[in-house]
Amino acid sequence: MSPAVTVRVAEAPADREACFGVRKEVFVAEQGVPEDIEYDVHDADAVHLLAVAGDGTPLGTARLLHGAAAAAKNGGDPSVGSLGRLAVLQRARGLGVGAALVRAVEEAARERGLTGVDLHAQTQALGFYERLGYEAYGPRFPDAGMPHRAMRRAF
C-alpha cells in the first residue's frame, strides 16, 4: 500500500457519507446491487472504516458489525464480528487498500474484545481473503444475485 493511504474509523458525518459514496459507486453503479438493499438497518450501529489518499480523497470502505447484528450474520456467535461492505474504488485497486481495510476491521474487532471476524465473500474474492488468513466454510449461497461463501479468521 502506498504510504499516502490511511485508514480511519469514520466517526465524522462527512467520513460516513464518503463511505456510503464509495459503496454506491462500487456496489450499486459498478456491480448492479439494488440501492434499496445496499444500505440497511445495520449501518446505524456499525463501525465504518474509510481509506483515504494523502489528499483526503476517499479510496475504499468497510464496516464491522458486532454483538447481536454480527451474530445474526455469522451463525449466532456474538463473540465474532462480521466484516462487510468492503469496497475499493476501481482506481485504487491493486494498491493494498483492501488488505489495509481488512486489517483495520480486525483491529476494531480486537478493540471490542471479539475473538475473530466472519464475512460473506463474493466467490471471485475468495483468494484475496484466503491470503489474509480467512478460511471458507459452508456451501455457496446467493447474496444480491451474486454467489458468496462464508469465511472466518480467528484471532
Side-chain angles (χ1 to χ4, degrees):
M1 183 174 72
S2 165
V5 176
T6 58
V7 178
R8 63 180 181 247
V9 174
E11 294 175 325
D15 280 355
R16 288 176 66 94
E17 286 305 313
C19 291
F20 296 147
V22 170
R23 285 169 48 185
K24 185 171 186 173
E25 186 171 331
V26 172
F27 295 126
V28 177
E30 187 179 323
Q31 295 183 356
V33 173
E35 193 165 356
D36 63 327
I37 67 170
E38 172 51 33
Y39 307 100
D40 61 24
V41 299
H42 301 302
D43 282 326
D45 297 320
V47 177
H48 296 273
L49 293 119
L50 178 65
V52 295
D55 65 0
T57 304
L59 300 174
T61 187
R63 77 175 187 187
L64 170 68
L65 302 181
H66 48 91
K73 293 188 169 284
N74 70 25
D77 188 347
S79 72
V80 175
S82 178
L83 184 160
R85 304 306 201 264
L86 176 69
V88 176
L89 296 176
Q90 198 166 38
R91 69 179 181 277
R93 292 182 194 150
L95 302 177
V97 175
L101 283 161
V102 170
R103 295 303 186 221
V105 165
E106 293 170 352
E107 181 60 30
R110 283 186 195 94
E111 289 172 359
R112 285 157 181 78
L114 301 176
T115 61
V117 173
D118 200 83
L119 59 89
H120 295 165
Q122 293 179 10
T123 55
Q124 78 266 11
L126 289 172
F128 166 76
Y129 290 110
E130 287 169 343
R131 286 187 295 278
L132 294 172
Y134 287 78
E135 294 182 17
Y137 67 91
R140 285 184 179 194
F141 60 91
D143 189 3
M146 294 173 272
H148 283 68
R149 291 276 311 273
M151 301 186 83
R152 182 171 289 186
R153 179 169 186 247
F155 304 141

